[in-house]
Amino acid sequence: MVPHLVTALTGPINELEQRILESTPVIERWFRLEWMEHTPPFYTSVDIRNAGFKLAPVDTNLFPGGWNNLTPEMVPLAVQAAMAAIEKICPEAKNLLLIPENHTRNLFYLMNVAQLQRIFYSAGLDVRLGSLNPEIKAPVTIDLPNGEQVTLEPLIRDGRRLGLKHFDPCTILLNNDLSAGVPGILEDLHEQYLLPPLHAGWHVRRKSHHFRAYEEVAKRFGKLLGMDPWLINPLFAHCGQVNFAEGTGLECLLGNVDALLAKIRRKYKEYGIQERPFVVIKADNGTYGMGVMMVRDAAELSSLNRRTKNKMNVIKDGQQVSDVIIQEGVMTHERINDAVAEPVVYMMDRYVVGGFYRVHAERGVDENLNAPGASFVPLAFEKSALQPQPGRPPGASVPNRFYMYGVVARLAMLAAAYELEATDPEAEQYD
């Protein structure tokens, strides 16, 4: 289900958390039925913000890095989930080709690649790393800060199959989000399973599509538990044809920011929340926390300085921003060592396998933490042997406070499944 991990939550259980904890059997049955109808993404990570009165996903990644930030105790869970996922897709799999991002100098990213390699090796697969980087023309071994090594090899296309020298894989796992588009070498592969599918990349994916699917999931889940879906769903709007460098298309931004802030104020008033609302403007296909800014008043958009415009104009791989999502800002009330923190939940197939806190000592409760200066604190297993007992009030036993994060993360993963179904170019069409 969801591992019982230590969280930064030490205060009393609020109404939302209590309702989720008490509804565990109903929630788990609902998820089981959903997974009978929908295929979960191969692996997923979800950034979550907990404001106390509201708990919501703010980003969902279908090519998650950061696996090295999970504690060693998490690895067996990931291995078990990897075995289940591979058995469903390719039971006879022997060789797995892992294709990472083109970073060769980002050693922390490569530690994530080494962790993935270890997980799938432990799941019974021979795993090798094939690089899309044109500079890799022969095997290159890189030493990592933790004493490990990774070896990147040049990809070899043989007809309609992709592999390495003397290595023909049944399954290809992408840890590259394809922000710059799909290289021709990955197209038209024959009888090889490509995970996640190409249309999961940021060249196709849009955050606005994801959160539209999440809105649908949240409404159904809210109806199941008899609760307001807003408590787990960040409101959002979308603007296309924005050019920050030239200052065009900003009228759409101004209008949508104003309207969204008004909606949030109404909700805050309904629930007696005294905080000042804010929105987050992000590149609709962004990643790595690039192309993100916080706005508390639409008037701020009329006086953007050159530095902010430049920051918003270009994201990963030099992609220019034209579409943005305007998302309700969800503050975080969690802290690690007095620094603001947000949980990131990791899943493989339909299983929650662990998580960590993203921590930033120089950011506030209403700021983006996925920024230079962030650090990562792994979540460990809760050592108490006491588990919550049916019929006993929360607090009488030790509740799994990570459970609600696992629920919201799986709701986001389910929304990603809906999203991938809707954008699948090979989906069967029915009249």
Side-chain angles (χ1 to χ4, degrees):
M1 202 171 64
V2 175
H4 194 173
L5 306 182
V6 176
T7 67
L9 300 174
T10 55
I13 292 177
N14 63 32
E15 186 181 344
L16 173 61
E17 186 180 357
Q18 183 169 329
R19 182 169 297 194
I20 289 174
L21 284 168
E22 289 176 347
S23 304
T24 299
V26 173
I27 291 170
E28 295 307 317
R29 177 179 181 274
W30 185 80
F31 274 123
R32 284 194 298 272
L33 294 175
E34 286 292 324
W35 297 133
M36 289 172 69
E37 298 289 331
H38 305 281
T39 302
F42 187 78
Y43 54 4
T44 316
S45 70
V46 179
D47 297 358
I48 293 173
R49 302 276 285 210
N50 182 5
F53 58 87
K54 180 172 185 135
L55 176 72
V58 293
D59 215 354
T60 301
N61 193 346
L62 300 186
F63 299 87
W67 290 90
N68 53 305
N69 293 317
L70 301 185
T71 58
E73 292 83 6
M74 297 290 110
V75 173
L77 292 180
V79 170
Q80 197 171 19
M83 290 173 71
I86 292 291
E87 281 170 14
K88 281 197 312 192
I89 294 159
C90 184
E92 70 278 11
K94 178 186 174 188
N95 295 335
L96 177 80
L97 174 62
L98 175 55
I99 300 180
E101 296 279 357
N102 287 351
H103 312 311
T104 53
R105 295 183 182 86
N106 186 339
L107 300 184
F108 290 103
Y109 171 75
L110 292 175
M111 286 167 64
N112 147 75
V113 173
Q115 177 83 304
L116 278 172
Q117 192 170 19
R118 187 182 309 111
I119 287 168
F120 286 99
Y121 177 81
S122 300
L125 296 167
D126 186 8
V127 187
R128 284 165 67 178
L129 308 178
S131 178
L132 290 166
N133 190 336
E135 296 175 9
I136 305 286
K137 300 188 186 316
V140 175
T141 299
I142 300 171
D143 295 321
L144 302 179
N146 59 358
E148 293 184 308
Q149 293 181 324
V150 291
T151 299
L152 300 172
E153 301 180 62
L155 292 167
I156 297 173
R157 181 72 184 245
D158 184 7
R160 293 178 65 191
R161 292 185 73 83
L162 185 64
L164 307 173
K165 191 175 182 179
H166 308 307
F167 188 75
D168 184 29
C170 148
T171 306
I172 300 166
L173 179 62
L174 288 174
N175 197 240
N176 182 310
D177 63 25
L178 306 176
S179 289
V182 179
I185 199 169
L186 295 181
E187 294 179 328
D188 300 319
L189 296 175
H190 183 61
E191 293 179 353
Q192 287 176 300
Y193 296 92
L194 190 61
L195 305 168
L198 292 178
H199 66 279
W202 281 121
H203 64 295
V204 170
R205 236 188 127 211
R206 294 293 179 268
K207 294 182 181 181
S208 53
H209 294 168
H210 174 73
F211 281 99
R212 195 167 292 118
Y214 183 81
E215 189 173 53
E216 179 187 340
V217 169
K219 283 177 181 174
R220 293 181 53 228
F221 186 78
K223 189 174 180 181
L224 178 78
L225 265 58
M227 57 179 259
D228 182 352
W230 176 77
L231 297 172
I232 55 168
N233 178 39
L235 303 173
F236 76 96
H238 169 257
C239 279
Q241 305 304 313
V242 176
N243 188 316
F244 285 97
E246 296 177 6
T248 57
L250 296 183
E251 303 83 7
C252 174
L253 264 185
L254 281 161
N256 276 288
V257 166
D258 220 18
L260 195 56
L261 283 169
K263 282 184 186 176
I264 301 167
R265 284 190 203 100
R266 283 196 293 272
K267 277 294 182 184
Y268 277 22
K269 187 176 180 182
E270 179 184 340
Y271 284 92
I273 297 161
Q274 302 300 318
E275 307 289 347
R276 187 184 180 194
F278 66 101
V279 297
V280 185
I281 299 174
K282 308 179 188 180
D284 206 16
N285 61 335
T287 184
Y288 289 143
M290 300 173 75
V292 178
M293 69 176 175
M294 312 304 190
V295 174
R296 290 160 191 81
D297 189 319
E300 295 172 30
L301 295 170
S302 304
S303 54
L304 294 180
N305 59 36
R306 183 179 295 276
R307 184 182 175 193
T308 302
K309 287 179 179 178
N310 290 341
K311 183 185 81 168
M312 291 300 297
N313 192 47
V314 177
I315 53 171
K316 184 178 174 244
D317 293 334
Q319 299 295 300
Q320 187 163 345
V321 175
S322 60
D323 282 14
V324 296
I325 180 173
I326 305 125
Q327 190 178 66
E328 174 187 354
V330 182
M331 62 193 68
T332 175
H333 76 169
E334 295 192 70
R335 289 181 176 270
I336 302 281
N337 297 328
D338 289 331
V340 175
E342 66 186 10
V344 185
V345 179
Y346 276 64
M347 293 160 289
M348 195 170 290
D349 194 61
R350 60 195 179 99
Y351 305 101
V352 176
V353 297
F356 56 82
Y357 275 105
R358 181 184 287 117
V359 182
H360 206 305
E362 297 169 13
R363 294 287 172 112
V365 297
D366 55 357
E367 292 186 280
N368 174 31
L369 305 189
N370 189 6
S375 58
F376 306 96
V377 177
L379 291 172
F381 280 106
E382 175 64 66
K383 291 184 171 56
S384 170
L386 287 172
Q387 294 293 312
Q389 301 298 318
R392 298 187 68 184
S397 58
V398 179
N400 182 357
R401 305 200 69 167
F402 187 70
Y403 179 70
M404 62 175 180
Y405 294 146
V407 169
V408 170
R410 284 181 293 166
L411 292 174
M413 178 168 62
L414 179 59
Y418 287 14
E419 178 194 356
L420 291 180
E421 288 167 11
T423 55
D424 186 353
E426 297 178 8
E428 295 183 17
Q429 302 294 325
Y430 299 98
D431 293 327

